[in-house]
Amino acid sequence: AQRVTQPEKLLSVFKGAPVELKCNYSYSGSPELFWYVQYSRQRLQLLLRHISRESIKGFTADLNKGETSFHLKKPFAQEEDSAMYYCALKGGSEKLVFGKGTKLTVNP
Amino acid sequence: NAGVTQTPKFRILKIGQSMTLQCTQDMNHNYMYWYRQDPGMGLKLIYYSVGAGITDKGEVPNGYNVSRSTTEDFPLRLELAAPSQTSVYFCASWGPGLADNEQFFGPGTRLTVL
């Protein structure tokens, strides 16, 4: 079974502080992992994927197969980072399995 | 490209009424999906389609129906609306993005059933 767990429903940090949004997954094969972001009242949009190994808006995420994790990190949070973040897994089909999401609030 | 578009943006239904949520994509994607988003529950897959004429149930299909007569359109039908169907509905498609395949989402339809 494919499962994505985001243990934190809410995460609050101050501007300039580091932030880490946790994501753990369960899948027996080789997954593709994604982070999607949803700003207030907007549609979900792709933030980054593990294959690309790039930094988007200062965010990075590394796939750790040993710990089955794909945590999202940013060294210095900005107020505009406040949003809902979803971790998603793609297994053998063209369906994504989403976690329940973490609402990040960056306080001034 | 307009991407994935949905209509209406908002709708209030009375219990027992019916409605169709429209979804269109202009990217020629074969794969399309309907999700509902409830607070604290994330995204739940309702139905999906791998191409015109082919649909399949997702995680929470009860109370909904879909059809896929063309590649572009994937409407979601609610036959007898219930308060439990109050949610935000997102349509999505899967296909080539800037770098690789990705899922593209519509802007959502906020449905309230009273």
Side-chain angles (χ1 to χ4, degrees):
Chain A
Q2 302 172 23
R3 189 164 58 244
V4 175
T5 302
Q6 294 180 249
E8 304 134 331
K9 272 190 178 180
L10 304 170
L11 185 60
S12 183
V13 300
F14 285 102
K15 177 182 173 181
V19 63
E20 181 181 47
L21 291 85
K22 291 183 167 51
C23 172
N24 290 91
Y25 67 90
S26 174
Y27 180 60
S28 57
S30 291
E32 286 186 63
L33 275 299
F34 304 82
W35 276 100
Y36 277 80
V37 61
Q38 185 181 26
Y39 300 104
S40 181
R41 300 278 176 157
Q42 294 187 25
R43 68 183 76 192
L44 281 86
Q45 54 188 287
L46 178 65
L47 180 62
L48 52 79
R49 67 180 76 213
H50 88 272
I51 291 177
S52 60
R53 298 184 63 82
E54 58 189 342
S55 173
I56 304 293
K57 299 184 179 183
F59 285 97
T60 59
D62 290 317
L63 178 61
N64 186 322
K65 290 187 177 181
E67 296 182 358
T68 59
S69 68
F70 188 55
H71 303 328
L72 184 67
K73 301 176 184 178
K74 185 169 182 176
F76 307 103
Q78 304 299 314
E79 289 180 68
E80 55 265 31
D81 295 329
S82 295
M84 196 76 182
Y85 291 82
Y86 290 96
C87 182
L89 176 153
K90 178 177 173 296
S93 71
E94 303 303 331
K95 290 188 291 181
L96 291 186
V97 175
F98 286 84
K100 292 186 177 182
T102 297
K103 184 176 181 180
L104 173 66
T105 302
V106 181
N107 300 298
Chain B
N1 285 353
V4 181
T5 57
Q6 292 181 236
T7 56
K9 286 187 178 180
F10 306 94
R11 184 72 185 267
I12 297 175
L13 284 181
K14 293 182 179 178
I15 294 172
Q17 286 185 319
S18 301
M19 78 163 294
T20 299
L21 283 68
Q22 301 292 345
C23 174
T24 299
Q25 53 93 9
D26 62 357
M27 298 173 282
N28 203 33
H29 291 168
N30 284 323
Y31 295 87
M32 295 187 74
Y33 315 82
W34 273 106
Y35 296 92
R36 58 178 289 171
Q37 182 186 42
D38 301 312
M41 300 302 293
L43 293 165
K44 296 280 181 73
L45 182 64
I46 305 171
Y47 271 95
Y48 67 101
S49 169
V50 301
I54 307 170
T55 63
D56 208 346
K57 295 178 180 178
E59 194 179 351
V60 289
N62 291 344
Y64 307 94
N65 276 302
V66 293
S67 60
R68 185 92 182 274
S69 56
T70 66
T71 300
E72 294 79 18
D73 301 307
F74 191 40
L76 178 72
R77 178 84 178 159
L78 283 72
E79 289 294 348
L80 293 170
S84 61
Q85 293 177 304
T86 293
S87 189
V88 181
Y89 291 84
F90 287 99
C91 179
S93 69
W94 173 270
L98 288 175
D100 203 338
N101 286 339
E102 65 181 82
Q103 193 155 81
F104 295 87
F105 284 84
T109 294
R110 190 173 293 271
L111 176 66
T112 302
V113 182
L114 301 174

